[in-house]
Amino acid sequence: MPPVPHDILRDPVGSLPEEWDALCASWSERPFRARQVFRWIQTRSVADAAGMTDVSRGLRDRLAAMGLAMPAHIDRANRATDGTRKLLIGFPVGGTVESVLIPPMPDDDDDEDEEVAEAGPRAPAKRVTQCISTQVGCAMGCVFCASGVAGLKRHLTAGEIVAQVLLGRTLLEEGEALRNVVLMGMGEPLHNYDAVARALRLLTHHDGIGLSTRRVTVSTSGLVPEIERLGADFRGEVALAVSLHAPDDDLRSSLMPVNKRYPLGELMPALRRYPLARRRRITIEYTLIAGVNDRPAHARGLAKLLRGVPAKVNLIPLNPVEGNAWRAPQRADVEAFQTILRADGYSAFIRRTRGDDIDAACGQLALHGAAAVKRKLPVFAGAGEA
Ligand code: SAH
Ligand code: SF4
């Protein structure tokens, strides 16, 4: 695809090495200086020119003059008893999102064999997953989602998306290493395609954060043209998660308005076409809402819908959102749903809500402190804490 024009002066932290090369060349700086600056930002989370101690004084002054700075800050960090950390991330230009650091859990069940094989004989670091946001709010309007209720406030820049990881890294604890990044926080990543694609390049850049491409997961409500674009731009190497939540168009459209634009008849063929590497699967997210989409007939419908898609299913009991009466199903109903999928040969996992005591469930905007959401959702016990 043709490169999307990028203004390094507007989004320096979202800039790639070659863009630093060009800027430094225009300042008659030697090429290695450009790499130094890129590395300070991307590998050491230093975006303040004054902190770049091995960079020449003249270049530091120029960087400071162009306004180079971290485009985000941690407004608040809460740690749950299970080690989950929720960050409230604020932006100097306005808006707040959340990001969650999730430590490995003893019952983490999927991909375990693969992990052991990869880690070899060395003791593996504690593999942390970070969930990050891509927009302030979300335009997709899913009825069970706090971000959807809030509506879209604005797209994040690539620098603001990556800054969540640069800042999150500063909160890693002894023995922990960032291993996975999931774009499952606030926002619809594929609705902010250009910034997200750039952020993916930065997250996986070997001179920078250096995550393995398949350990970065883009979660989407199902924007078909952008799924195709993502598959083509990253040759299917970026992991894809698709939120289905219903086995048929009527129910799905009632939960997710985006289904009217891209119904299952278009979405499912796009998933079958996604250029997955061998032995890789698409993650299907299915949020279970009691009495709405959690009946055995729904599970059977989902199994049928998924035929021919290399998929594993994550079942996510609803995190109730104030303002509607929906609740998570009973555990027995969640397990019955899982059993039906497994009987049909699908991997199906029940996602536990982590960090319960700090309201840190990834994929659900925490309402504390999110002023934009509070305005729309009148009743919330504890909202005054913000
Ligand atoms: N917009 C993208 C990614 C962010 S949402 C998407 O929709 O896929 C990440 C996941 O959290 C989605 O599967 C979403 O449906 C789910 N989710 C949103 N609100 C939720 C809630 N209240 N309870 C449980 N899961 C929720
Ligand atoms: Fe947006 Fe995802 Fe929430 Fe739907 S579930 S409103 S797409 S963030």
Side-chain angles (χ1 to χ4, degrees):
M1 69 161 186
V4 177
H6 176 72
D7 183 351
I8 190 167
L9 299 179
R10 289 176 72 106
D11 185 16
V13 170
S15 301
L16 291 156
E18 51 273 27
E19 291 154 349
W20 283 108
D21 284 344
L23 183 70
C24 286
S26 75
W27 289 344
S28 307
E29 291 283 350
R30 311 247 300 279
F32 78 93
R33 293 286 183 207
R35 297 287 151 149
Q36 274 181 314
V37 175
F38 180 81
R39 287 215 178 96
W40 271 110
I41 298 169
Q42 301 290 337
T43 69
R44 294 160 95 164
S45 302
V46 172
D48 182 3
M52 300 182 181
T53 46
D54 59 1
V55 170
S56 69
R57 183 63 194 271
L59 178 53
R60 271 189 276 160
D61 288 346
R62 282 194 119 146
L63 293 169
M66 77 183 252
L68 177 60
M70 197 61 85
H73 45 262
I74 300 177
D75 270 348
R76 195 165 68 219
N78 291 345
R79 188 181 193 285
T81 44
D82 68 7
T84 303
R85 277 139 276 167
K86 184 182 77 177
L87 320 184
L88 203 61
I89 307 252
F91 303 102
V93 298
T96 308
V97 297
E98 72 166 27
S99 175
V100 186
L101 290 171
I102 308 158
M105 294 287 146
D107 68 346
D108 268 350
D109 36 12
D110 56 332
D111 294 342
E112 230 10 78
D113 295 344
E114 187 191 2
E115 299 277 359
V116 172
E118 260 181 28
R122 280 176 305 124
K126 286 187 241 158
R127 301 174 301 257
V128 172
T129 297
Q130 186 173 3
C131 174
I132 60 174
S133 297
T134 54
Q135 297 176 315
V136 182
C138 180
M140 300 298 135
C142 301
V143 293
F144 51 84
C145 172
S147 310
V149 173
L152 178 65
K153 304 293 174 212
R154 71 177 178 90
H155 295 298
L156 296 187
T157 63
E160 289 170 330
I161 296 169
V162 167
Q164 295 168 60
V165 174
L166 303 180
L167 294 171
R169 193 164 57 186
T170 65
L171 296 185
L172 290 179
E173 297 171 1
E174 183 71 26
E176 287 185 339
L178 180 67
R179 172 74 159 216
N180 298 287
V181 167
V182 296
L183 282 65
M184 292 185 186
M186 202 195 271
E188 166 50 55
L190 296 185
H191 183 214
N192 185 13
Y193 188 89
D194 291 337
V196 163
R198 171 172 281 276
L200 295 174
R201 293 192 200 289
L202 287 163
L203 292 170
T204 58
H205 202 287
H206 48 78
D207 285 339
I209 297 167
L211 289 166
S212 148
T213 319
R214 56 201 212 105
R215 299 210 165 275
V216 180
T217 302
V218 172
S219 174
T220 179
S221 56
L223 305 191
V224 169
E226 286 77 18
I227 290 174
E228 312 226 315
R229 211 171 148 195
L230 184 77
D233 286 351
F234 294 90
R235 300 190 313 271
E237 285 163 17
V238 170
L240 183 66
V242 178
S243 298
L244 280 185
H245 309 322
D248 64 76
D249 278 327
D250 282 350
L251 182 56
R252 193 165 189 268
S253 294
S254 73
L255 299 173
M256 309 174 70
V258 67
N259 190 69
K260 293 179 200 138
R261 179 104 182 261
Y262 302 114
L264 292 168
E266 288 179 37
L267 177 57
M268 300 314 291
L271 301 191
R272 291 190 181 89
R273 284 195 302 270
Y274 191 75
L276 276 181
R278 236 165 33 96
R279 294 175 50 220
R280 304 283 298 158
R281 289 176 294 179
I282 294 175
T283 301
I284 300 297
E285 290 162 281
Y286 195 102
T287 294
L288 287 161
I289 311 172
V292 173
N293 64 355
D294 67 336
R295 305 289 82 211
H298 296 125
R300 288 192 292 272
L302 179 62
K304 200 166 156 208
L305 185 68
L306 290 177
R307 297 248 158 85
V309 181
K312 64 174 177 191
V313 181
N314 278 346
L315 300 172
I316 316 160
L318 178 78
N319 266 298
V321 167
E322 291 298 323
N324 68 55
W326 288 338
R327 292 293 166 258
Q330 301 291 325
R331 180 76 191 183
D333 289 339
V334 178
E335 285 172 2
F337 201 100
Q338 178 187 38
T339 302
I340 292 169
L341 291 173
R342 286 192 165 168
D344 225 39
Y346 292 97
S347 307
F349 304 97
I350 299 171
R351 283 292 159 229
R352 283 196 303 142
T353 301
R354 290 172 183 175
D356 272 346
D357 50 331
I358 55 164
D359 193 13
C362 178
Q364 192 219 340
L365 166 69
L367 301 178
H368 302 270
V373 176
K374 268 192 284 174
R375 276 202 299 277
K376 294 258 182 171
L377 298 173
V379 201
F380 183 64
E385 184 201 295

